[in-house]
Amino acid sequence: MGRKNGWIAALSFLALLCAGCTARPTFLQHPRPELSSDFSAFADAGCPPDENGLMLCFPGSPLAAFDCDRIERPDGLFGGLDPALPIAYCLFDSYRHSGEDFERVMQVEEEGFLYQTGGISQTYVRFVVFRDGEFQLLATREDFAAAFAPVDSANEALAYALAHGPYSAQYGLRFDRGLRYLAATVEDTYVAETDGGYRVHLFHYQFFGCGPHTTSSVDLRVATDGTVEEVKTEAVFQDPKEDSLCVD
């Protein structure tokens, strides 16, 4: 009986240690395309980086005129866009505008945006490109398509998909014993040609709200005409250390 009780105690201890542990999934890896995007036109656009690296746009600057509270440099994968225009995120943070200035929030909502992110307050995501010697605002998905469609290569489809939501491209994914895996297979970002367009495999991390904060894979269909739609979402992994984390 003593030996049996010892095994039971040992197994119980291991079960306690592995609470939240998951089986090791299969990993499928793909190479990252060697691309880079041009950001040089934005070096003197009136949005210098502050001590935290935020590129806040001064009032009266060319990009503030487009309601860019701040700009960000896109992933180098945006270099897949054709034509290869200098491009930057134009971000409008609603929390920066209150009182009478709240009319600007309503104006941005009416003008349109590619997507929005945030928790209690929203950030409206648009783009600015530098073309023919001047900055141009791409406020909506229609504006983006007018600038870059048709989409006729895998690299352009990848960049296009990244521009249409809070997605990321992930490469070199490997097993991490600290994570809780929810999928049997974890596959790097890839692009597959389909009828009338491309299927792009990206990722989305649930940053806002309370835990668990899930990273999901998202498959998007990017049509040749520039139409983008999500076709599949699958929860992939979570970090147990973030289970009690709440982000507004």
Side-chain angles (χ1 to χ4, degrees):
M1 288 293 293
R3 179 176 294 181
K4 181 179 178 181
N5 290 338
W7 276 111
I8 292 174
L11 291 172
S12 298
F13 178 69
L14 288 174
L16 181 63
L17 284 179
C18 279
C21 294
T22 54
R24 184 190 294 260
T26 299
F27 287 84
L28 302 177
Q29 296 182 334
H30 301 281
R32 177 186 171 97
E34 295 183 3
L35 297 168
S36 61
S37 58
D38 185 0
F39 195 69
S40 59
F42 301 94
D44 299 313
C47 310
D50 64 12
E51 64 276 9
N52 298 313
L54 291 178
M55 301 185 72
L56 301 175
C57 297
F58 292 143
S61 67
L63 302 187
F66 292 140
D67 285 316
C68 303
D69 287 326
R70 54 192 173 95
I71 61 173
E72 285 185 4
R73 182 172 192 155
D75 189 302
L77 295 172
F78 275 64
L81 292 171
D82 185 14
L85 302 174
I87 185 170
Y89 282 99
C90 168
L91 303 173
F92 180 86
D93 300 313
S94 61
Y95 74 88
R96 300 180 189 274
H97 308 277
S98 59
E100 294 180 2
D101 199 35
F102 188 73
E103 291 183 4
R104 291 183 63 197
V105 179
M106 304 302 294
Q107 180 181 344
V108 168
E109 287 187 347
E110 290 176 6
E111 291 175 354
F113 46 89
L114 275 82
Y115 63 95
Q116 62 191 67
T117 65
I120 294 176
S121 62
Q122 296 294 304
T123 292
Y124 299 90
V125 181
R126 307 192 287 183
F127 289 90
V128 173
V129 296
F130 190 72
R131 186 206 294 263
D132 299 330
E134 62 181 11
F135 295 109
Q136 296 179 6
L137 175 68
L138 307 182
T140 65
R141 294 187 171 206
E142 291 75 19
D143 293 342
F144 202 89
F148 296 111
V151 181
D152 51 16
S153 73
N155 284 343
E156 185 165 25
L158 174 57
Y160 218 95
L162 286 169
H164 282 70
Y167 310 120
S168 66
Q170 300 289 334
Y171 299 93
L173 292 171
R174 293 179 174 82
F175 181 71
D176 183 339
R177 65 178 63 255
L179 299 179
R180 178 191 301 126
Y181 287 94
L182 309 172
T185 301
V186 180
E187 187 165 9
D188 285 359
T189 290
Y190 68 89
V191 181
E193 191 167 357
T194 62
D195 236 2
Y198 299 84
R199 188 183 183 100
V200 183
H201 185 73
L202 297 176
F203 292 85
H204 173 257
Y205 169 62
Q206 178 208 329
F207 178 73
F208 292 98
C210 291
H213 294 268
T214 304
T215 295
S216 301
S217 63
V218 183
D219 285 5
L220 301 105
R221 183 180 183 274
V222 180
T224 303
D225 66 2
T227 304
V228 179
E229 61 177 339
E230 290 188 10
V231 295
K232 181 183 177 182
T233 302
E234 180 182 17
V236 177
F237 58 79
Q238 300 163 341
D239 185 342
K241 296 190 295 293
E242 297 180 345
D243 283 354
S244 59
L245 175 66
C246 291
V247 180
D248 295 331

